[in-house]
Amino acid sequence: MSQPTIESILQEQRLFSPPTDLAAQAEIKSLAEYEQLYAQAEADPQAFWAELAEKELEWFEKWDTVLDWQPPFAKWFVGGKLNITYNCLDRHLKTWRRNKAALIWEGEPGDSRTLTYAQLHREVCQAANVLKQLGVSKGDRVGIYMPMVPEAAIAMLACARIGAPHTVVFGGFSAEAVKDRLNDAEAKLVITADGGFRKDKAVPLKAAVDQALANNGAPSVQNVLVVQRTQADITMENGRDHWWHELIATASADCPPEPMDSEDMLFILYTSGTTGRPKGVVHTTGGYNLYTHMTCKWAFDLKDTDVYWCTADVGWITGHSYIVYGPLSNGATSLMYEGAPRTSNPGCFWDVVEKYGVNIFYTAPTAIRAFIKLGNQHPQARDLSSLRVLGTVGEPINPEAWIWYQQVIGGGQCPIIDTWWQTETGGFMITPLPGATPTKPGSATRPFPGILADVVDLDGNPVADNDGGYLVIRHPWPSMMRTVYGDDDRFRRTYWEHIPPKDGNYVYFAGDGVRRDEDGYFWIMGRVDDVINVSGHRLGTMEIESALVSHPAVAEAAVVGRPDDLKGEDVCAFVTLEHTHSPNDDLKTELKQHVVNEIGAIARPGEIRFADALPKTRSGKIIRRFLRNLASGEDIAGDASTMEDQSVLEKLRQGS
Ligand code: PRX
């Protein structure tokens, strides 16, 4: 079971209607209602979003202009002033939600904590004052490198409170990756922890920050704030490193929210692209607040009494939009879990569902496939009857996993919300609405109201139903990325010029292949660029190649994805060696570890294959298509006559 194949999709043609009871009480109650909203938004997107912005958010000052669109640069709610933490915290304190659980946190070893809105507000204000005390002010960037503990969310909100854009680096990234990101963002301060618990181990984090900062590695960083989690023995550098709990203990809980311009930067989040260096995706305040609020509300059909659990890590966009900002803006109870599915405790996720009576559960296909492998007995031994809506994200879900999720976890009662979106889009773009959209296993169904999604060829011409093409978005939306941090030109080239604009109409190029069927349902087929998706984590093949060639034994490297039953895709690296080195298994292990050191464990190649030479065109370009065929054990597809040296392919085939 891996990426959905055309065969598996074609075999699975069932249509699942929204459960009647759920639909009756849903925000959007029928397909007709969705279609009416969609038509309204399509006819006048600005009026549609302005009405929601007025109704759903609190603004310190209203905007003058809804949308200023100077392609490819968009500004939403221009002149409006707000603070996202006011919408996520303060406004709820004026209501009964004051004492409602905002965050429920479950640690991997079994410790737990609940923070009400009033408590979360207090801790965010205290943390914000600590940041100020350490010299952080509006506009300064703050790096966050944390395990899944409440302080990760508190740290993000504290930054937003004072207008300091955060850049969260996933805790699984290596010291090198941390260093690159801190330097690109020129972060002034880093918030980290001694470590975190993952898969029964205490994973160190502070040590990686020390390594990143060693020898003036990130000169912009002046202070490091350290949360105590694992009690690991760490070194604290005098004058630079401070314990979070010590400074919080004496910090004032009074910190008025900084009035932010709607277009002020809220955060930078790095993601992999086609070229070597990860790009800093920039999101701003007003449009992001509105869009994550609306998508969370409608696509999960969030009720005030729900316990909502998104299993992502706050290091990814899913954690930003759907653990922290979207749910809290709605006044929801958001559950955070530190651990991961693991063989030592195969029922741990279902224990959490049962313990807290989780109503909405949102995870990734790779986790679903891991649960299938762990066995049905684990979910079946728990009471999962509280579940009402089940979501999935991160990669195409194979229909078999979809059906298992629906049957075994949802007991056949819960709509499956397959949400297609990206770091760049900020929020869900194509998704069912649980009370409205009949679902088809393997399809993310139809676009959210206001999202003009389309399928085109490389010249930008629409393609016929059921013909494959490129996924594009035709109109700006509130939470779209604003630019690549410090590189407007890269933003323009990557997303807006692949498909040439026609008559000045720019379209956003998502980088995914897609097919739209006769009912207007979108079927995402995966990336069309050199990005691979390993366990729902996005990796650039060039990033991994650069890591490999930085090892002294490696002359050349080419990395491709190959289908994997559990991870969706796995990393397969073809490597040629310097003449001073010869191929052996120890070197393979060493190279895999080298990639882990350079990027992080998520990029560890599943397979390294040594080769005498790589297949290249006469102009010296590596022909990846052939490598992909070889990696997945397929026949070489296509014409090999453009190759410079025909014997290379034969050798690679024999060696495989
Ligand atoms: O290829 C698509 C895949 O993940 C990519 C975006 O990755 P990232 O920015 O890391 O964000 C992941 C979480 C939003 C997309 O270009 N992808 C994401 N969701 C889906 C998906 N592919 C198919 N179906 C999805 N539901």
Side-chain angles (χ1 to χ4, degrees):
M1 249 185 294
S2 59
Q3 302 279 313
T5 58
I6 295 284
E7 292 72 28
S8 67
I9 289 169
L10 292 180
Q11 278 160 19
E12 177 50 73
Q13 294 194 334
R14 275 177 282 176
L15 189 69
F16 293 83
S17 298
T20 325
D21 297 358
L22 186 147
Q25 293 170 38
E27 281 282 328
I28 316 295
K29 294 181 169 48
S30 64
L31 192 59
E33 199 177 323
Y34 157 77
E35 284 176 345
Q36 190 265 326
L37 269 176
Y38 191 87
Q40 185 194 332
E42 186 174 19
D44 191 349
Q46 296 193 29
F48 177 78
W49 292 118
E51 191 186 321
L52 292 170
E54 181 100 53
K55 191 168 130 225
E56 299 283 339
L57 300 185
E58 286 194 31
W59 298 79
F60 302 145
E61 272 174 50
K62 200 179 159 176
W63 56 89
D64 314 305
T65 309
V66 179
L67 171 65
D68 172 5
W69 178 222
Q70 315 275 344
F73 301 101
K75 292 182 180 162
W76 282 88
F77 309 111
V78 186
K81 293 217 180 297
L82 77 167
N83 186 298
I84 196 166
T85 71
Y86 187 89
N87 282 315
C88 288
L89 301 170
D90 304 58
R91 64 166 163 169
H92 305 310
L93 304 191
K94 297 183 273 183
T95 71
W96 67 270
R97 293 196 191 107
R98 183 180 180 84
N99 294 327
K100 173 178 174 176
L103 286 181
I104 295 177
W105 171 78
E106 179 83 7
E108 195 185 87
D111 44 347
S112 60
R113 234 183 122 188
T114 298
L115 286 129
T116 64
Y117 272 95
Q119 289 170 324
L120 182 60
H121 176 264
R122 187 169 61 234
E123 293 211 16
V124 167
C125 288
Q126 286 176 315
N129 279 328
V130 168
L131 293 177
K132 283 191 199 165
Q133 193 185 321
L134 294 174
V136 178
S137 48
K138 185 172 176 176
D140 290 338
R141 275 83 55 213
V142 172
I144 297 179
Y145 183 61
M146 294 276 270
M148 279 291 285
V149 292
E151 286 80 0
I154 294 169
M156 291 163 73
L157 292 160
C159 290
R161 187 86 177 163
I162 63 172
H166 51 72
T167 180
V168 185
V169 182
F170 172 58
F173 278 120
S174 70
E176 275 301 308
V178 173
K179 185 165 92 180
D180 289 348
R181 286 156 176 77
L182 293 177
N183 279 319
D184 191 79
E186 293 178 285
K188 194 166 183 185
L189 179 142
V190 180
I191 308 176
T192 187
D194 49 0
F197 293 107
R198 201 170 166 79
K199 300 205 171 177
D200 306 314
K201 280 202 267 273
V203 184
L205 288 170
K206 171 66 164 54
V209 173
D210 290 341
Q211 211 182 320
L213 301 185
N215 306 318
N216 211 19
S220 58
V221 175
Q222 295 171 2
N223 290 288
V224 179
L225 198 50
V226 187
V227 172
Q228 196 164 41
R229 169 67 184 135
T230 58
Q231 319 281 338
D233 189 16
I234 57 167
T235 38
M236 294 290 280
E237 194 180 296
N238 224 343
R240 185 195 73 181
D241 299 348
H242 315 266
W243 284 112
W244 168 284
H245 59 271
E246 285 178 4
L247 298 190
I248 291 275
T250 54
S252 155
D254 179 22
C255 180
E258 184 72 32
M260 302 297 286
D261 203 274
S262 177
E263 278 301 325
D264 277 339
M265 183 159 60
L266 176 63
F267 64 85
I268 307 169
L269 187 58
Y270 287 85
T271 190
S272 298
T274 314
T275 55
R277 228 161 35 93
K279 8 175 218 259
V281 170
V282 170
H283 282 288
T284 59
T285 308
Y288 177 83
N289 191 170
L290 177 67
Y291 196 78
T292 52
H293 178 100
M294 289 319 305
T295 45
C296 200
K297 182 172 171 144
W298 286 352
F300 288 127
D301 192 39
L302 208 52
K303 304 277 186 248
D304 236 331
T305 47
D306 282 336
V307 174
Y308 158 84
W309 180 17
C310 163
T311 70
D313 190 286
V314 289
W316 309 113
I317 190 70
T318 310
H320 283 57
S321 301
Y322 298 107
I323 294 177
V324 181
Y325 293 115
L328 297 179
S329 182
N330 279 287
T333 297
S334 181
L335 194 148
M336 277 176 92
Y337 180 54
E338 187 185 33
R342 54 202 188 278
T343 31
S344 65
N345 190 353
C348 63
F349 271 42
W350 317 122
D351 283 338
V352 174
V353 170
E354 187 177 79
K355 177 171 174 186
Y356 295 103
V358 171
N359 306 104
I360 303 169
F361 178 72
Y362 185 39
T363 196
T366 190
I368 298 169
R369 291 191 294 263
F371 299 140
I372 296 175
K373 229 176 171 170
L374 289 169
N376 290 4
Q377 66 275 25
H378 305 295
Q380 278 164 355
R382 274 82 178 178
D383 179 4
L384 305 182
S385 60
S386 56
L387 291 170
R388 191 177 80 249
V389 176
L390 299 174
T392 155
V393 60
E395 55 182 307
I397 181 165
N398 43 312
E400 298 88 334
W402 194 104
I403 294 286
W404 182 89
Y405 197 27
Q406 204 255 4
Q407 296 289 323
V408 179
I409 304 306
Q413 304 294 317
C414 306
I416 304 295
I417 304 305
D418 178 358
T419 60
W420 175 84
W421 60 297
Q422 309 176 297
T423 307
E424 292 87 342
T425 69
F428 306 155
M429 301 297 278
I430 303 180
T431 177
L433 305 181
T437 320
T439 49
K440 302 185 186 186
S443 168
T445 76
R446 296 170 65 171
F448 198 77
I451 301 304
L452 309 188
D454 207 351
V455 188
V456 298
D457 65 18
L458 262 190
D459 296 322
N461 302 312
V463 303
D465 285 352
N466 286 314
D467 278 357
Y470 300 94
L471 179 52
V472 296
I473 313 294
R474 292 201 175 279
H475 190 276
W477 65 101
S479 67
M480 62 196 275
M481 76 181 282
R482 296 304 193 258
T483 189
V484 172
Y485 187 66
D487 200 344
D488 285 350
D489 197 46
R490 190 168 172 199
F491 174 61
R492 186 192 294 274
R493 272 185 285 117
T494 313
Y495 302 103
W496 303 94
E497 288 181 352
H498 266 281
I499 310 276
K502 278 203 172 93
D503 308 324
N505 288 322
Y506 278 71
V507 294
Y508 171 81
F509 175 78
D512 277 309
V514 70
R515 170 176 73 86
R516 184 170 44 193
D517 71 16
E518 57 288 352
D519 297 323
Y521 278 51
F522 287 76
W523 300 80
I524 311 290
M525 308 313 264
R527 301 289 306 193
V528 293
D529 51 10
D530 291 324
V531 168
I532 52 181
N533 194 327
V534 180
S535 300
H537 298 146
R538 184 167 153 182
L539 295 166
T541 50
M542 278 191 49
E543 239 174 300
I544 307 173
E545 287 163 8
S546 312
L548 283 165
V549 295
S550 72
H551 188 282
V554 176
E556 256 188 326
V559 165
V560 294
R562 62 143 199 241
D564 182 272
D565 275 359
L566 207 60
K567 302 177 182 174
E569 276 185 293
D570 200 358
V571 176
C572 180
F574 292 84
V575 168
T576 64
L577 295 175
E578 294 288 355
H579 60 87
T580 43
H581 290 75
S582 44
N584 61 63
D585 283 348
D586 288 346
L587 185 56
K588 277 190 185 174
T589 312
E590 189 179 319
L591 291 180
K592 287 181 186 177
Q593 188 53 40
H594 182 68
V595 174
V596 173
N597 298 344
E598 290 292 306
I599 304 175
I602 52 169
R604 181 197 298 274
E607 187 180 4
I608 291 196
R609 292 199 196 179
F610 292 122
D612 292 342
L614 300 174
K616 288 186 184 163
T617 61
R618 285 173 220 279
S619 59
K621 244 183 121 195
I622 294 174
I623 312 173
R624 287 165 187 285
R625 187 160 46 95
F626 293 162
L627 294 176
R628 272 194 289 271
N629 293 149
L630 285 167
S632 50
E634 295 163 353
D635 290 339
I636 299 292
D639 181 11
S641 64
T642 51
M643 269 185 61
E644 191 193 29
D645 179 358
Q646 304 277 332
S647 67
V648 166
L649 218 49
E650 198 40 48
K651 276 196 198 142
L652 279 170
R653 209 186 334 242
Q654 282 167 4
S656 65

